[in-house]
Structures are given as structure tokens and as C-alpha cells.
Amino acid sequence: MRRDEEFSEFFTSRFDWARRTAYALCGDWSEAEELAQNAFVRAYAKWPSVRRETAEAYVRTIVTRLFINSRRVRERPVADLPEHGVGGGFDDPDARLHAALRKVPPKQRAALVLRYVHDLSIEQTAAELGCSEGNVKSQTARGLATLREAYGEPITTESAR
């Protein structure tokens, strides 16, 4: 199978999954789509060297790192302030949990999403985030503490899944 056909098949089968992953991280469908698209653009550039059995993990890592990098730049200059806020946030039945999740700092949120949404081990999460296992443990613990405080009620790892 040619490179473009192979990548096209992978993209078609995994784009919605990548977009949902990005949404879990950022809480905005427009931004999630942009993160997923950028991840696939980067994956396509490296496609000849990407192992097919780990391609999904590769894209998930790119999405996570793009999200974290996007949060490093806090200010975004605009010519004029909009008169009305722009929608596009969480609109599911458990909006309160997602609103609390948005209060968790980006690196901690990434650790929580990888650990509890994608059910990755500490070792796998560390590899995807490019940090130590101890860092994953501390980011996860701090993230859960922040999430509990923001939510206002106890959140167990089962309810965070």
C-alpha cells in the first residue's frame, strides 16, 4: 500500500478518536479539532518512519504535547475585545465535572486524561509526556487534588474514568 493511501486509512479511522482526546484535554470542540488536525499533519510528515503498531500512541503523544505547548502562551493579543463570549465549551450532562477539569493546570490535566481516560500505566504516561514516573505520580496526585477542590465533592478515580 502506498504511503498516502496507508496514512489516509489511518487518518480516517482515528481522527474522531484524536479529536475526542484533544477535547478531553481542552474542553473546546474547535480547539480540539485544530489540535487533532495539527497532530495528524505532524504524523504525516514522519509517516515513513512511524511504526504502524504504535501510530496511535504516536498521535496521542503529539496531541498531548500540542495541548501542553498551547497553554504555555497565556496571552493572545486581539485587535478588539468581542462583545459576547464565544461558546464551544463542554455541553455534556456532566458539565460541572468538565468545568472543574478545566481548572486543573495543563500538565496535571494531561496526566489525568492519559491515566484515567486512556487508562495508560504510569510508565506509559511518563513516556508520552516525556517525564519521569515520579513526575507522573505527583502530577496525577496534584491534579486529582485540584479537581476535587474545584468540583467541591470527593472524586474517586472510578468517577474520574
Side-chain angles (χ1 to χ4, degrees), residues 100-151:
L101 186 59
R102 282 193 299 258
K103 295 180 181 176
V104 176
K107 286 186 181 179
Q108 294 172 10
R109 191 180 331 164
L112 292 176
V113 168
L114 292 172
R115 290 279 293 132
Y116 300 116
V117 174
H118 286 286
D119 203 26
L120 297 183
S121 68
I122 291 170
E123 297 80 15
Q124 292 168 319
T125 303
E128 292 221 7
L129 293 176
C131 64
S132 69
E133 293 175 20
N135 187 278
V136 170
K137 290 176 186 178
S138 66
Q139 293 290 338
T140 302
R142 290 180 186 141
L144 283 173
T146 303
L147 186 60
R148 282 185 189 104
E149 184 179 318
Y151 192 72

Side-chain angles (χ1 to χ4, degrees), residues 3 16 38 50 60 84 93 144:
R3 171 187 174 199
D16 284 339
N38 287 334
V50 173
R60 185 177 52 232
H84 302 286
L144 283 173

Side-chain angles (χ1 to χ4, degrees):
M1 189 180 290
R2 287 186 27 240
R3 171 187 174 199
D4 289 345
E5 291 170 350
E6 189 177 59
F7 183 80
S8 179
E9 185 178 302
F10 175 71
F11 174 82
T12 302
S13 69
R14 302 313 295 156
F15 182 77
D16 284 339
W17 162 85
R19 189 171 55 105
R20 286 190 308 271
T21 296
Y23 180 74
L25 290 165
C26 70
D28 180 279
W29 283 114
S30 296
E31 183 181 359
E33 185 143 342
E34 188 173 324
L35 287 169
Q37 288 172 355
N38 287 334
F40 278 99
V41 167
R42 290 181 185 207
Y44 180 74
K46 299 286 185 177
W47 193 247
S49 62
V50 173
R51 292 191 335 235
R52 302 315 177 250
E53 61 273 7
T54 61
E56 187 174 301
Y58 183 67
V59 169
R60 185 177 52 232
T61 299
I62 296 170
V63 167
T64 304
R65 291 183 180 172
L66 285 170
F67 165 73
I68 290 171
N69 289 340
S70 74
R71 294 313 190 256
R72 289 192 176 134
V73 179
R74 290 285 184 198
E75 291 184 26
R76 294 194 177 130
V78 293
D80 296 308
L81 293 176
E83 290 186 27
H84 302 286
V86 177
F90 292 107
D91 55 3
D92 64 299
D94 202 3
R96 185 171 162 222
L97 177 60
H98 292 287
L101 186 59
R102 282 193 299 258
K103 295 180 181 176
V104 176
K107 286 186 181 179
Q108 294 172 10
R109 191 180 331 164
L112 292 176
V113 168
L114 292 172
R115 290 279 293 132
Y116 300 116
V117 174
H118 286 286
D119 203 26
L120 297 183
S121 68
I122 291 170
E123 297 80 15
Q124 292 168 319
T125 303
E128 292 221 7
L129 293 176
C131 64
S132 69
E133 293 175 20
N135 187 278
V136 170
K137 290 176 186 178
S138 66
Q139 293 290 338
T140 302
R142 290 180 186 141
L144 283 173
T146 303
L147 186 60
R148 282 185 189 104
E149 184 179 318
Y151 192 72
E153 294 178 14
I155 295 177
T156 64
T157 55
E158 288 75 34
S159 65
R161 284 183 189 231

